[in-house]
Amino acid sequence: MAQNPPPPASKPPQKKPDALAPMRTPRFWITLAILFVANILISNVLFSAGQPPTVTISYNSFLDQVNAGNVASITSTGESITGVAKQPVKDSSGTSSTKFQTQRPSFANDDLQAMLQQHNVVINAKDPNASTPLWETLLFSFGPTILLVLGFLYLSRRAASAGAGGILGSFGQSRARLYDAERPSVSFADVAGIDEVKADLQEVVDFLREPQKYQRLGGTMPKGVLLIGAPGTGKTLLARAVAGEAKVPFFSIAASEFVEAIVGVGASRVRDLFTKARAAAPAIIFIDELDAIGRSRSAGVRLGGNDEQEQTLNQILTEMDGFDSREGVIVLAATNRADVLDPALLRPGRFDRRITVQAPDRPGRAAILRIHTRNVPLAADVDLDQIAQQTPGMVGADLKNLVNEAALGAARKGETAVTLADFTDAIERILLGTQRKIILTPADRERIAYHESGHALLGLIVPGADPVKKVTIVPRGQALGVTLQSPVDDRFNYGEDYLRARMVGALGGRAAEKLVYGVVTTGAENDLMQVTRIAQQMVVRWGMSPKVGPLNYAEPDGNPFQQRPYGDGTANLIDEEVRRISEECLADAEKLLSEHRKQLDALAQSLLKNDSLDEGQILDVTGIKPSAVAAAKPTDAQLVKAPST
Ligand code: ADP
Ligand code: ZN
Ligand code: MG
């Protein structure tokens, strides 16, 4: 498979207060279990406590006992007889007791009464239709249930008064602690690479420091500031840094906590939070992951709905309407996606100021690396600018992780400082996944070598393709082999030729297999997924199909229930065009590889021998010179251009 950055953004583990914590403590379940068992015991055992068990015996053996003179008394209710024996009697299973019961068959023709009298058995009789007293019936039938319900009520009251803390009192933290203000020690100096965002937030800091100064001139601050950006770009960090800079208390909640919470908890927490923050003003309230509850209510994707989200969201809106920013409270919120937010949140007087947090560019990445290596001893060969160049697409959290991985690697090797090699290893590990030990047959290895060589070679010879940094047939992560191509630097705009080069490269694996073996394998699944996605977007998003036209038919927020904005005819046309583009790319890949068959063989053989090749080795083996690649551009460009339809 061909693999290109960006790598997945990683998120640091966050400690969140947990609304369902009481339900998750073992104590909760133990208590419930005890209650349940007690319940059964009460209904079964308690009422017969202190009495011997009753054994059931056959009518024959009952008669025998009577004849043997062992029966003291009997009580009959209709045809059923219970009695007390002088010596314990045994039932069929061997249990013995002085209390027994039996059933007299209705066809019994014996003179039981005479027999009983003859053996001096006391005879009691009960009216079979007499009902047991009402209180007894009620106690036996509803008692256990009532007990269970009472017990449950008791538990939930304890839970409510203990907040998210332990359900049995004294355990865990109390609800009040959740909203204790934090006083973050981070400042803007800990945030790098997003200077324009810092400048925007500086105003918020100034306001919180001296609210009076801003009010004097009659201006009002926005109540809410929404930070929008991909995961790991530093939104949470920024919010904390604002509080740290302004030296004000920081009250934070993550909206995702409410998604599964017990109904009503979210709203009451929000109320608490705002009350506490207003009492502590000037202060910051931070709502993280706002999209978790703030999703547009009209989006229709919410099958089944979620009352809790809705209530929490409404409470946030109510609270935001209910205070004045002059009080000195500013609500910051963070989201990965602003496009799915409920419009009500974005109305004036709510989150009317929006700040986009971009992924850092190359100098930004270097600055972030500098921050995270402040306490890491670096070897002389480490050049953070160079590492920044090798990590396009990585965001702050990734870079932090990268430094950490490199430092761990260095420690494992027993080094005293982190070297460039440690960083290179860490980048590879992050981009390619960790190596996996699986045994492959020689035939499989060869096939994988050709597959990866196909990717790598096309990456070299197709103009506009990203340079090939590494190719390996050591299984890593989910892949059996990997070709790593990494862009020269961040790209913000992709040309059609670049997209086609990506597709041709991605199909290189399959094309090589077809060319060499004449058969195809499942190994190209990921490659095909990439190709399909790019081709589809070219047609429906970027207007790159002359037949479909310069139109954007993409679904706005990936909502599958939305009506397609085009008819069946266009749908068919789109399918056709996606297919045409992919097939053209595969044809190009096959053509190019058969023209460069010698280099393909050389690359595959070298891979089989060495497992992995880096950029220099690949150029060596294939005899392709980087300058030659550049020079070849104009002629080869013909190949990857779409034949005009
Ligand atoms: P987000 O909230 O956007 O998902 P976080 O603020 O949680 O991202 O970022 C996670 C970590 O990554 C931060 O704690 C910080 O260490 C690091 N980080 C992210 N962005 C930056 C940045 N711009 N400068 C310095 N460190 C950053
Ligand atoms: Zn592949
Ligand atoms: Mg965050």
Side-chain angles (χ1 to χ4, degrees), residues 1-2 451-452 455 481 483 505-506 508-510 513 523-527:
M1 63 178 280
H451 181 111
E452 295 307 327
H455 287 312
T483 300
R510 156 118 339 166
E513 288 179 33
E525 181 173 347
N526 266 307
D527 302 334

Side-chain angles (χ1 to χ4, degrees), residues 75-123:
T75 305
S76 82
T77 313
E79 302 289 355
S80 75
I81 298 169
T82 54
V84 179
K86 292 173 186 156
Q87 298 298 318
V89 295
K90 273 191 185 163
D91 69 0
S92 52
S93 70
T95 320
S96 59
S97 170
T98 51
K99 278 187 74 183
F100 63 85
Q101 67 174 33
T102 189
Q103 192 76 21
R104 181 170 190 250
S106 52
F107 56 77
N109 206 6
D110 49 17
D111 194 352
L112 183 58
Q113 194 198 344
M115 199 153 60
L116 292 173
Q117 277 174 343
Q118 185 191 340
H119 290 97
N120 298 319
V121 178
V122 181
I123 303 170

Side-chain angles (χ1 to χ4, degrees), residues 430-451:
I430 291 171
L431 293 186
L432 309 181
T434 33
Q435 297 193 358
R436 220 156 33 116
K437 285 213 164 44
I438 49 174
I439 312 286
L440 295 167
T441 62
D444 275 342
R445 268 190 92 229
E446 193 189 77
R447 187 184 55 73
I448 295 165
Y450 268 105
H451 181 111

Side-chain angles (χ1 to χ4, degrees), residues 11-12 14 230-237 286 288-289 334-336:
K11 267 187 94 180
Q14 271 187 333
T233 45
K235 300 178 296 295
T236 309
L237 180 68
F286 179 54
D288 211 350
E289 304 164 46
T335 178
N336 300 333

